[in-house]
């Protein structure tokens, strides 16, 4: 409980101890069946998910009065996607406060985006039950401020963006030359070409990531 007091101090919110403890209880830390649901953060996560979605939707509806429904949806998805909520959880250091089973912990569960985003949503649910809607809304909008400013187009893979751009300016479809750096290592290098001219180079621990990084470099060069 001492560590939870530390988190409460960081939050500067009067969250009930029992709810805070529950919000940080990963399912692997409790039993099986119904007990796993009732004594872990799964129910609070359900509540927090709905709250975060409603708060972010209202935020964009009120601030972006000229945007159509489709664009509002894209903005909301960008702000509440799993990786965005996991980043918010990391800013709160939620991973170090999570209670989880030994197996999940040793497998890197404290850093896993799915666990962190679930914990963030559960924390939002705990704040709502402890402090009410207005406090919850203020908390969500403050902690998600970087995500609320995210350009949804940046969520489109670089390879897709490069192909759209290259075709729009008459350079055709990009081609990639990708190969492992060595047969024994799962690490790749990739070069991307437009009309035979090399435009970018990237590396990664998978072919897909190497090509994505090559496309990113090409986009930077073409947009500079």
């Amino acid at each position: 409980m001492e560590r939870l007091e530390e988190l409460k101090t960081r939050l500067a919110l009067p969250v009930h101890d029992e709810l805070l403890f529950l919000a940080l209880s990963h399912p692997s830390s409790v039993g099986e069946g119904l007990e796993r649901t009732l004594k872990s953060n799964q129910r609070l996560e359900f509540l927090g998910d709905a709250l975060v979605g409603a708060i972010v939707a209202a935020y964009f509806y009120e601030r972006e009065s000229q945007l159509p429904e489709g664009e509002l949806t894209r903005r909301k998805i960008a702000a509440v996607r799993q990786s965005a909520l996991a980043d918010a959880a990391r800013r709160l250091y939620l991973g170090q406060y999570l209670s989880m089973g030994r197996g999940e912990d040793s497998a890197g569960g404290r850093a896993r985006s799915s666990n962190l985003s679930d914990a963030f949503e559960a924390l939002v649910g705990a704040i709502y039950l402890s402090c009410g809607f207005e406090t919850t809304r203020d908390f969500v909008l403050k902690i998600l401020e970087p995500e609320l400013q995210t350009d949804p187009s940046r969520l489109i893979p670089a390879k897709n963006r490069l192909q759209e751009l290259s075709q729009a300016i008459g350079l055709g479809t990009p081609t990639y030359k990708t190969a492992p750096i060595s047969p024994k290592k799962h690490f790749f290098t990739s070069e991307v070409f437009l009309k035979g001219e090399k435009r970018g180079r990237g590396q990664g621990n998978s072919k897909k990531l190497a090509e994505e990084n090559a496309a990113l470099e090409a986009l930077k060069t073409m947009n500079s």
Side-chain angles (χ1 to χ4, degrees):
M1 295 300 289
E2 183 177 332
R3 299 185 71 190
L4 295 187
E5 287 300 321
E6 177 184 303
L7 178 58
K8 285 178 67 174
T9 300
R10 177 177 288 125
L11 295 173
L13 293 172
V15 185
H16 298 326
D17 290 344
E18 299 82 2
L19 289 171
L20 187 58
F21 179 81
L22 192 61
L24 298 170
S25 297
H26 185 268
S28 65
S29 67
V30 295
E32 300 293 333
L34 183 60
E35 183 182 28
R36 192 176 182 88
T37 296
L38 298 180
K39 292 188 177 181
S40 74
N41 60 10
Q42 289 181 329
R43 281 170 49 85
L44 280 175
E45 175 205 337
F46 163 80
L47 177 59
D49 174 63
L51 287 164
V52 171
I55 290 167
V56 171
Y59 171 85
F60 285 126
Y61 179 86
E62 293 166 1
R63 284 183 59 95
E64 307 288 355
S65 60
Q66 303 304 311
L67 290 183
E69 177 190 0
E71 187 61 26
L72 288 172
T73 298
R74 291 180 66 211
R75 296 297 301 273
K76 176 189 171 187
I77 290 173
V80 304
R81 67 196 188 282
Q82 183 185 91
S83 60
L85 300 187
D87 285 343
R90 291 185 181 99
R91 291 195 290 273
L92 293 168
Y93 302 100
L94 291 188
Q96 71 184 50
Y97 301 106
L98 282 174
S99 174
M100 57 178 53
R102 184 177 300 176
E104 181 69 18
D105 196 357
S106 62
R110 294 184 186 279
R112 189 168 293 141
S113 289
S114 58
N115 291 340
L116 291 172
S117 62
D118 289 351
F120 178 79
E121 289 175 336
L123 175 62
V124 170
I127 292 172
Y128 169 74
L129 293 175
S130 302
C131 308
F133 182 76
E134 289 189 7
T135 297
T136 306
R137 180 191 60 205
D138 292 345
F139 169 79
V140 169
L141 295 181
K142 179 180 179 180
I143 195 65
L144 288 184
E145 183 177 2
E147 286 70 33
L148 294 171
Q149 308 305 319
T150 298
D151 178 359
S153 66
R154 294 180 64 85
L155 302 178
I156 301 172
K159 287 183 66 175
N160 296 53
R161 286 187 278 140
L162 178 61
Q163 181 166 316
E164 289 179 4
L165 176 60
S166 64
Q167 291 179 340
I169 61 178
L171 292 178
T173 301
T175 58
Y176 295 84
K177 290 185 178 180
T178 307
I181 291 180
S182 74
K184 295 182 180 180
K185 293 184 178 180
H186 296 289
F187 203 75
F188 295 79
T189 183
S190 179
E191 294 177 336
V192 59
F193 296 82
L194 293 173
K195 287 196 169 180
E197 180 183 350
K198 186 173 74 173
R199 293 299 188 105
R201 185 175 185 274
Q203 295 183 337
N205 56 10
S206 69
K207 180 180 177 181
K208 179 179 179 180
L209 182 57
E211 292 181 352
E212 182 73 4
N213 287 333
L216 276 172
E217 183 175 283
L219 283 170
K220 290 177 183 177
T221 301
M222 295 170 70
N223 291 327
S224 61

